[in-house]
Amino acid sequence: MSRLSPLLFMFFSLLYAGTSAGEGKKAALEGMEAFPGLKMLGLKNEGVTLYYDPKNSEVLNVKHPNADDLGEGGIYISRPLRTQLLGTGKGYFTIDCDSGGSWDPGCTVLQESNGKLNEVIRIPGLRFAFPGNGNIYVEGHNNTMFNVRQKYEWRDGSFSAVKQPFNYVGLDTTTREPIDIFTTQDYKQIVAALPKGSSISVVLNQGEHYLVKTPFGLLGWVRIRCCAMQEASPIVGIYYAGD
């Protein structure tokens, strides 16, 4: 990438405009806070939190049929929710959530049909929003390098992840060691050299490439190989959370 792409230029134009217009105002809601109308259901043992529309959902108080078998292997599983994911009157789905092997939480979506439950998809994550509009929103820092946010939409009888040009990171943090940030992802021209303990904002991610912003407002790319552990990552908070 030898120059700033039109898409990336547009992103930062909007980011700057939003920042200027919002000076002195409350910051925009992010993540699950963007769904203020949903009710929260925390599953402590499974390590998962659900956000659902109470108008078209039913909280279940039943034991999962596989709870005992999986429990012997140290895996917690529950069946906490029945909800209309596609909208009112368009059928019900049941949500199973589990802690996963080696603590890899996630939820499984099962579609109700003729009195049976048919598995549609298992989605890893820590927080799930079910607004009932045909979409599922998921976030979490598990088996990933940061808090990844994804949208799944109903297509052709299943839920599929929507491809994003970049992943938003939105992490205000510090450098664990001295780093250089670069103009492009070929890492040839340095924008700035940052000492250990420098304050930075990690804005975007694309594979192993992270776009960061200095306190002055300079932007540059940093490469962090997957799957760097906490002590090996040059940026605090960007590390592989998993096995």
Side-chain angles (χ1 to χ4, degrees):
M1 195 168 77
S2 59
R3 61 181 179 177
L4 196 66
S5 68
L7 181 62
L8 200 53
F9 177 79
M10 181 182 298
F11 173 87
F12 283 107
S13 297
L14 293 172
L15 181 65
Y16 174 78
T19 301
S20 299
E23 287 179 354
K25 298 181 180 179
K26 184 179 179 180
L29 298 178
E30 291 185 356
M32 294 302 161
E33 293 181 349
F35 303 98
L38 302 185
K39 192 170 182 178
M40 185 180 75
L41 175 63
L43 308 174
K44 182 178 179 180
N45 290 334
E46 294 78 8
V48 171
T49 303
L50 307 182
Y51 298 80
Y52 65 94
D53 184 351
K55 297 188 300 295
N56 62 10
S57 304
E58 175 189 356
V59 176
L60 303 177
N61 186 22
V62 297
K63 184 177 180 179
H64 194 280
N66 299 328
D68 291 337
D69 291 340
L70 292 176
E72 292 180 0
I75 298 175
Y76 294 97
I77 188 169
S78 63
R79 179 163 288 172
L81 191 68
R82 181 173 182 256
T83 185
Q84 299 183 73
L85 295 179
L86 308 183
T88 303
K90 296 183 179 181
Y92 277 89
F93 293 78
T94 294
I95 309 299
D96 287 357
C97 297
D98 63 86
S99 59
S102 300
W103 195 250
D104 181 20
C107 291
T108 300
V109 178
L110 303 106
Q111 187 174 25
E112 299 183 12
S113 178
N114 298 321
K116 297 182 179 180
L117 295 177
N118 301 310
E119 181 174 332
V120 176
I121 187 174
R122 184 187 188 275
I123 305 174
L126 302 181
R127 293 170 293 279
F128 294 76
F130 306 112
N133 59 0
N135 299 320
I136 299 173
Y137 297 85
V138 187
E139 66 175 3
H141 188 177
N142 64 319
N143 282 344
T144 58
M145 294 288 287
F146 57 94
N147 179 30
V148 176
R149 307 170 200 203
Q150 291 183 297
K151 172 186 174 183
Y152 289 78
E153 65 179 13
W154 183 256
R155 289 190 303 227
D156 302 323
S158 185
F159 283 97
S160 302
V162 176
K163 184 176 177 58
Q164 303 177 71
F166 303 94
N167 288 309
Y168 173 66
V169 183
L171 176 65
D172 294 324
T173 182
T174 58
T175 59
R176 179 174 276 108
E177 60 188 50
I179 65 171
D180 295 331
I181 63 174
F182 292 82
T183 303
T184 62
Q185 292 179 7
D186 61 12
Y187 298 96
K188 294 180 179 179
Q189 183 176 349
I190 295 176
V191 174
L194 304 177
K196 177 181 178 179
S198 296
S199 296
I200 59 171
S201 297
V202 186
V203 185
L204 298 176
N205 160 262
Q206 189 177 53
E208 296 182 339
H209 311 287
Y210 294 82
L211 191 69
V212 305
K213 179 176 72 69
T214 70
F216 178 69
L218 298 176
L219 293 167
W221 292 101
V222 176
R223 175 181 283 157
I224 303 178
R225 305 284 188 182
C226 184
C227 298
M229 297 293 103
Q230 280 186 281
E231 64 278 2
S233 176
I235 297 177
V236 175
I238 303 296
Y239 65 93
Y240 187 69
D243 297 330

